[in-house]
Amino acid sequence: MPKITKQNIKSPIKPTWCAGCGNFGILRALYAALEELELNRADVVTSYGVGCCDNGADFSANYAIHGLHGRSVPPTIGVKLANHELKVISVSGDGGQYGEGLNHLMFAARGNHNITMLVHNNNRYSLTTGQASPTTPKGTKTKTTPEGLIEEPFNPLHTALSAHASFVARGYANDFKQLKEIIKSAITHRGFALVDILQACVTFNKDYDFKWYKDHVEHLSEDHDSSDWNQAIEVATKPAGKLFTGVYYQDEDRPAYHESLDVLNEKPLVKQWQAERDISPVIKHYA
Ligand code: SF4
């Protein structure tokens, strides 16, 4: 089975995203990370929900699931429990993951399921033409909030940290070098990893253009200690102003969910079934 390269991971289907969309930078960083980790194409599974970024399922030539809105996580947990030797990545937008799919984030984090969650965060439901999402700032006028959004914006980093996520990071779509390294660290992390990725939606979020991101995005200080949960919480809850990118928190000692199951210690479930159980009568019955 070939190793992933930036070329062979692309499917024949070309991305249909708007020119200048942040999704391009995130997909490029993901491909580069997979190549640099020297992973086999058959050993990576991605799971997508519904949204602009989720159409990435069609543009990539690895095993992928294109499921329901906000529901990219449950299949990744199922895949991981069946075969924990695979690298499993959930990809979704802020609307899907932090809205409808928030419970999945919380419980995947609590259990420390060994999956990587990449969230394309552009502060809008963009596939449906720009409605306010959970991360849209208070007061923003959109089609669904013509007089300004009443709710406070959702803070994904603080929530993930509070839900015991063992890896919490933030990247920016146009900072390829840093984003690629963050994604590599998230994929190799032993447990649940959230990477919130800031991105521009050039079509439905004109307030947050490239200049805005240039003025507001900044790397975490070199003094930041990612093993210190309290420090991570402090930076994640700083009042609005700068948006810091980098690894906020990583707990390298906590075992992943599957590592706490004795039944999976010897080998992945899928290999146990192949070796010890004959399921051909079941297949014949339903054929
Ligand atoms: Fe990207 Fe926005 Fe276009 Fe969707 S609508 S493809 S998020 S720029």
Side-chain angles (χ1 to χ4, degrees):
M1 183 50 64
K3 301 266 185 222
I4 290 175
T5 68
K6 288 189 277 294
Q7 286 71 41
N8 72 15
I9 191 73
K10 288 181 191 162
S11 84
I13 302 169
K14 299 273 176 256
T16 47
W17 296 318
C18 311
C21 175
N23 288 334
F24 286 103
I26 300 171
L27 196 63
R28 192 171 143 245
L30 173 62
Y31 287 170
L34 294 173
E35 182 181 60
E36 289 184 20
L37 291 173
E38 300 187 355
L39 298 170
N40 290 326
R41 210 163 58 167
D43 292 339
V44 175
V45 179
T46 39
S47 175
Y48 294 81
V50 171
C52 287
C53 63
D54 302 85
N55 292 339
D58 303 329
F59 314 144
S60 306
N62 62 294
Y63 292 120
I65 301 159
H66 199 172
L68 303 174
H69 185 254
R71 310 296 180 194
S72 61
V73 172
T76 61
I77 293 178
V79 170
K80 197 73 192 182
L81 287 176
N83 187 355
H84 57 257
E85 290 176 349
L86 299 173
K87 294 291 185 194
V88 186
I89 302 165
S90 155
V91 182
S92 52
D94 52 298
Q97 193 60 67
Y98 300 149
E100 197 172 0
L102 180 58
N103 56 339
H104 299 306
L105 186 162
M106 305 280 284
F107 288 95
R110 280 182 63 220
N112 204 27
H113 288 277
N114 192 6
I115 63 171
T116 301
M117 178 184 283
L118 306 180
V119 183
H120 296 227
N121 183 357
N122 60 17
N123 300 330
R124 292 291 187 280
Y125 285 95
S126 293
L127 188 70
T128 47
T129 71
Q131 296 81 7
S133 80
T135 51
T136 305
K138 187 175 183 175
T140 305
K141 292 185 178 177
T142 70
K143 288 173 184 168
T144 44
T145 56
E147 295 183 12
L149 182 68
I150 294 166
E151 290 100 328
E152 296 291 341
F154 173 73
N155 183 332
L157 306 181
H158 179 250
T159 301
L161 287 162
S162 302
H164 307 282
S166 56
F167 183 103
V168 177
R170 172 172 270 158
Y172 171 45
N174 286 40
D175 188 341
F176 171 79
K177 203 169 150 204
Q178 188 201 39
L179 180 58
K180 179 191 67 173
E181 291 306 320
I182 291 174
I183 293 175
K184 279 166 64 181
S185 301
I187 291 173
T188 51
H189 173 69
R190 211 172 117 240
F192 176 81
L194 168 68
V195 186
D196 178 71
I197 309 171
L198 307 168
Q199 69 152 111
C201 169
V202 293
T203 304
F204 294 113
N205 190 351
K206 305 282 187 196
D207 298 339
Y208 285 60
D209 57 11
F210 297 112
K211 182 176 179 324
W212 188 93
Y213 280 109
K214 194 165 180 289
D215 291 343
H216 290 83
V217 173
E218 196 172 302
H219 286 193
L220 279 170
S221 151
E222 287 188 2
D223 297 334
H224 180 77
D225 177 2
S226 60
S227 68
D228 184 339
W229 187 87
N230 288 313
Q231 203 181 114
I233 282 279
E234 193 187 321
V235 184
T237 50
K238 270 195 174 162
K242 291 287 180 193
L243 292 164
F244 294 101
T245 57
V247 177
Y248 280 60
Y249 179 67
Q250 182 169 19
D251 178 350
E252 299 185 65
D253 298 326
R254 186 174 164 208
Y257 188 93
H258 70 271
E259 292 173 335
S260 303
L261 290 172
D262 288 345
V263 70
L264 297 181
N265 276 347
E266 202 184 322
K267 54 188 165 186
L269 196 60
V270 69
K271 291 188 177 168
Q272 297 179 34
W273 275 68
Q274 279 170 1
E276 290 153 23
R277 302 199 187 192
D278 178 12
I279 60 165
S280 56
V282 181
I283 293 171
K284 256 189 217 152
H285 179 81
Y286 288 103

